[in-house]
Amino acid sequence: MVRLSRGDWVALGRAAILDLLAEQHAAPLVELEARICDRSWKDRHNPIDPHLLTIARKELLAEGLVDELVATTRGGGDVAVFHLSPVQRGMARRISDAAARKRLLIARWKSWSRGTQHMPNLIGAGGEAVVHQSLLTSAAYGYRVLQPTRGEVATIYEQPVPGGPLDNAAWLLTMDPRTQMPGDPYLVPIEVKNVRHTLYPNHWESYQLLHKAAGLANSHPRYPVLPILICRKAHYRARQLAKDLGFLIFETHDQYVLPSERLQLDHVEEVRAELGFADLTVTDQANPRLVDWLSGTVHREAPKFATRWMDFGRHHIGIYAALRDERLRWRQRTPWLEALHAAVEANFDTAGGWAPSEEDEPGLM
């Protein structure tokens, strides 16, 4: 198989964007990524990394082949949609109608993730519910969930969790398979990021977990800590970062929505079909893949990853505190990530191929 260059992937991204906009007439960024980055576009090639699709989109905008139309939704938020440019004769109305429809669907989806006066945060709560039920199902494999009835953990060791409450936490009790004697327990802090965008090393979400986990490990170094991040999708560079620092990532490949009497399932189906969110899933039940991972992979990897975290990862709490700040723009975050990357290189033979680059900024809502 021929290995494609970065330029090849950008060219494929350009072609896919143009083809998609010709078909859909208008599409927001999250739809472009859902249809081109989450899966193969019309089975023509493998999914394209979001940061490469961003390069392709910026090139098309700069060349005037694609234009951006920003308008305010009923909920008061600005939503940008993209369409082909220049607008061909007879296409203006089709583009306008398609853009209005996509903005309505985006506003609906965002209402589930942000919550309103009449509707809770169904996406955030949905991810946390699935993880909590999966942990409870895994109890037979040595997990003692700290808050079996609600999940969220605000205190550990009779003290507030440093950096704020965790989405979940458990003690992992291990056993030597040969002697059947109990092994060391691991404290497992868990954060759930049930978001649509693919997580990169520069995104803030990972560092919220790492900041809290470092605080717990530094305050009680006698007990090994094994941080776990659960998200919809993580870029391979984020997984390399996890290996270097000593934490685990599980990708659900689903975005969960908590069942609710106020949630109209036909609205969910419209968002799923018309925005390409094929993985949008209404459930609060355990994920069998996550249960298998917790009962197998985590047990096997716990000694290696917890050792790396206790020996190295936990000592960079200041960097994690800075990087968890959602307000920092991409370029403001890069120096902190460079410092973390340099620390890995100074202590180990390699730093996993996740060196930050300003060219690698993926598009976000």
Side-chain angles (χ1 to χ4, degrees):
M1 180 179 292
V2 178
R3 184 179 179 86
L4 298 180
S5 69
R6 182 187 183 94
D8 293 333
W9 283 111
V10 172
L12 289 172
R14 289 169 57 102
I17 290 172
L18 293 173
D19 192 27
L20 187 153
L21 293 180
E23 178 182 285
Q24 295 289 325
H25 305 310
L29 176 58
V30 286
E31 180 181 359
L32 295 180
E33 293 193 351
R35 296 188 188 275
I36 301 173
C37 302
D38 285 353
R39 55 189 183 275
S40 173
W41 173 247
K42 294 186 176 179
D43 296 322
R44 295 177 185 172
H45 47 71
N46 289 334
I48 296 173
D49 282 348
H51 69 280
L52 298 178
L53 192 73
T54 295
I55 296 172
R57 175 172 54 86
K58 288 181 176 179
E59 288 183 358
L60 293 172
L61 285 166
E63 295 168 19
L65 297 175
V66 167
D67 201 359
E68 183 178 17
L69 181 62
V70 181
T72 303
T73 66
R74 281 186 238 163
D78 289 339
V79 174
V81 295
F82 301 94
H83 63 85
L84 295 179
S85 180
V87 177
Q88 300 297 314
R89 184 175 180 180
M91 291 300 299
R93 180 60 184 271
R94 290 186 182 182
I95 290 172
S96 176
D97 289 348
R101 176 63 177 171
K102 297 299 175 69
R103 284 194 295 268
L104 183 149
L105 294 169
I106 288 291
R108 181 182 295 168
W109 166 68
K110 283 188 173 181
S111 74
W112 301 334
S113 61
R114 292 176 179 170
T116 65
Q117 181 180 355
H118 305 290
M119 182 89 75
N121 181 345
L122 299 180
I123 289 180
E128 291 167 11
V130 168
V131 170
H132 189 59
Q133 290 302 316
S134 301
L135 267 176
L136 293 177
T137 304
S138 304
Y141 300 97
Y143 290 91
R144 295 297 300 270
V145 182
L146 270 63
Q147 292 290 347
T149 59
R150 66 174 184 270
E152 182 180 271
V153 176
T155 60
I156 298 178
Y157 305 124
E158 298 183 335
Q159 297 175 345
V161 174
L166 291 157
D167 289 334
N168 222 307
W171 283 101
L172 173 57
L173 309 179
T174 61
M175 180 179 67
D176 186 307
R178 184 178 62 84
T179 65
Q180 296 186 326
M181 295 292 291
D184 292 332
Y186 297 93
L187 177 61
V188 182
I190 297 172
E191 286 289 337
V192 184
K193 301 304 175 187
N194 191 29
V195 294
R196 283 223 66 81
H197 58 269
T198 299
L199 296 186
Y200 278 70
N202 215 336
H203 284 132
W204 67 268
E205 287 90 345
S206 299
Y207 303 101
Q208 184 186 68
L209 165 68
L210 301 185
H211 181 234
K212 298 174 185 180
L216 290 168
N218 293 343
S219 64
H220 290 80
R222 173 184 172 187
Y223 300 104
V225 172
L226 178 64
I228 291 180
L229 176 69
I230 299 175
C231 61
R232 188 187 74 91
K233 192 176 178 184
H235 192 259
Y236 79 89
R237 292 182 185 175
R239 298 193 295 272
Q240 291 296 326
L241 170 74
K243 290 180 180 179
D244 282 343
L245 297 183
F247 70 101
L248 292 170
I249 297 177
F250 179 84
E251 299 174 85
T252 64
H253 296 288
D254 287 310
Q255 185 173 43
Y256 300 110
V257 183
L258 188 71
S260 169
E261 293 179 355
R262 296 183 178 274
L263 181 68
Q264 296 179 243
L265 295 182
D266 58 329
H267 283 182
V268 175
E269 186 53 41
E270 288 172 0
V271 170
R272 183 187 291 122
E274 296 180 48
L275 292 180
F277 293 2
D279 59 8
L280 201 62
T281 306
V282 180
T283 185
D284 58 0
Q285 299 303 302
N287 178 335
R289 285 181 50 249
L290 177 54
V291 173
D292 289 345
W293 184 79
L294 289 168
S295 61
T297 301
V298 174
H299 276 265
R300 290 193 301 272
E301 301 289 359
K304 178 175 69 175
F305 278 80
T307 298
R308 174 62 70 95
W309 178 252
M310 298 304 292
D311 288 348
F312 178 76
R314 70 184 176 97
H315 297 297
H316 303 283
I317 189 169
I319 294 178
Y320 306 147
L323 286 171
R324 68 172 289 183
D325 187 347
E326 301 177 51
R327 299 168 298 177
L328 289 186
R329 299 180 65 85
W330 194 267
R331 291 185 180 183
Q332 293 174 306
R333 307 173 68 78
T334 300
W336 292 102
L337 194 57
E338 288 175 340
L340 186 60
H341 190 266
V344 174
E345 286 188 313
N347 284 272
F348 306 103
D349 293 337
T350 180
W354 51 269
S357 170
E358 290 183 2
E359 295 181 358
D360 290 342
E361 179 178 2
L364 291 174
M365 285 294 294

